[in-house]
Amino acid sequence: DSGVTQTPKHLITATGQRVTLRCSPRSGDLSVYWYQQSLDQGLQFLIQYYNGEERAKGNILERFSAQQFPDLHSELNLSSLELGDSALYFCASSGSIEAQETQYFGPGTRLLVL
Amino acid sequence: AQKITQTQPGMFVQEKEAVTLDCTYDTSDQSYGLFWYKQPSSGEMIFLIYQGSYDEQNATEGRYSLNFQKARKSANLVISASQLGDSAMYFCAMREVLGNNDMRFGAGTRLTVKP
């Protein structure tokens, strides 16, 4: 158990809908990262927050947004869902933003868009 | 742009034997971190081992060791005394100190341990 929690574990929804994925980092970790894992794209970095502020953006679509709250939990919002958004979404956390800091991953949310 | 290459889509190893999973990377930065993660069929990503670009010694964590060859830009994972529970996908990843703060992953290697 990494200490990172994600809810829900599974999500099935329809095209055009909007969903929210939630992540609680390890106790004491200030940095949260979101990743998408799909069969065709592999593991891709989406976005990073550090202590409530956005720090880095990767291959995140405009239909996707995220935020980190004062209690450090984070939410990833996916809207106008398409079939291709079906993937495993991971949240990871680390204590700082340093490159050598290990990121610990949550169990993931498996999203299926029908 | 940094790139991680894992050339072995699948590997087989006999239980109790050692196996090496290959990883090469491409970066123009001098300072970076290299990571290996394990993803069993249940889906979670489990951190295994870390190597910093300035570390002079190869990293070791229990049965895992990292064969780091900086000049060749390779960071191969060695698993000794393989166990059935080692069957999983293994991902190599890199993060540059001066980069975008993102961690880039290779395509992964599926390891199967045979009894």
Side-chain angles (χ1 to χ4, degrees):
Chain A
D1 187 345
S2 67
V4 179
T5 60
Q6 287 187 250
T7 56
K9 199 161 185 175
H10 301 276
L11 199 48
I12 302 175
T13 188
T15 54
Q17 295 298 304
R18 172 190 168 97
V19 297
T20 298
L21 313 184
R22 184 188 166 102
C23 166
S24 292
R26 292 188 321 157
S27 177
D29 281 359
L30 298 178
S31 200
V32 168
Y33 311 80
W34 286 97
Y35 293 86
Q36 179 195 57
Q37 185 179 31
S38 61
L39 283 174
D40 53 346
Q41 300 281 347
L43 258 162
Q44 290 206 87
F45 167 73
L46 296 178
I47 197 165
Q48 180 205 359
Y49 280 82
Y50 177 76
N51 204 19
E53 300 288 327
E54 181 185 305
R55 283 286 302 184
K57 259 185 174 178
N59 299 318
I60 188 166
L61 300 171
E62 284 193 16
R63 300 184 285 108
F64 296 1
S65 65
Q67 54 184 326
Q68 187 179 27
F69 294 88
D71 66 352
L72 300 177
H73 91 271
S74 177
E75 293 181 357
L76 179 67
N77 300 297
L78 316 176
S79 61
S80 303
L81 284 167
E82 301 175 0
L83 297 178
D85 298 327
S86 295
L88 185 53
Y89 290 85
F90 285 108
C91 166
S93 76
S94 67
S96 73
I97 59 171
E98 301 297 325
Q100 64 269 30
E101 188 90 9
T102 296
Q103 295 180 22
Y104 292 92
F105 282 70
T109 292
R110 200 172 290 275
L111 174 67
L112 180 59
V113 182
L114 300 175
Chain B
Q2 50 173 296
K3 184 180 173 184
I4 313 296
T5 303
Q6 294 181 252
T7 56
Q8 308 150 312
M11 287 279 287
F12 290 89
V13 64
Q14 207 65 37
E15 194 178 7
K16 298 180 186 175
E17 296 195 345
V19 63
T20 298
L21 306 184
D22 295 342
C23 173
T24 58
Y25 57 91
D26 182 27
T27 179
S28 54
D29 280 10
Q30 295 300 310
S31 187
Y32 48 87
L34 296 157
F35 303 82
W36 276 92
Y37 286 85
K38 171 185 177 182
Q39 187 177 35
S41 56
S42 50
E44 71 268 33
M45 293 284 287
I46 302 167
F47 166 71
L48 295 178
I49 195 166
Y50 163 80
Q51 178 85 43
S53 58
Y54 289 115
D55 293 342
E56 294 187 354
Q57 303 235 350
N58 286 338
T60 60
E61 286 285 351
R63 294 187 299 111
Y64 304 109
S65 60
L66 206 151
N67 184 0
F68 180 47
Q69 298 187 46
K70 193 170 182 176
R72 291 187 174 187
K73 293 186 178 176
S74 77
N76 299 337
L77 177 70
V78 180
I79 305 175
S80 62
S82 296
Q83 302 172 356
L84 295 178
D86 294 335
S87 293
M89 282 289 286
Y90 288 81
F91 292 94
C92 177
M94 179 175 72
R95 200 169 172 210
E96 294 169 323
V97 169
L98 297 178
N100 187 35
N101 259 325
D102 59 334
M103 188 146 67
R104 300 292 182 103
F105 286 82
T109 295
R110 182 170 297 282
L111 177 67
T112 303
V113 180
K114 294 181 172 180

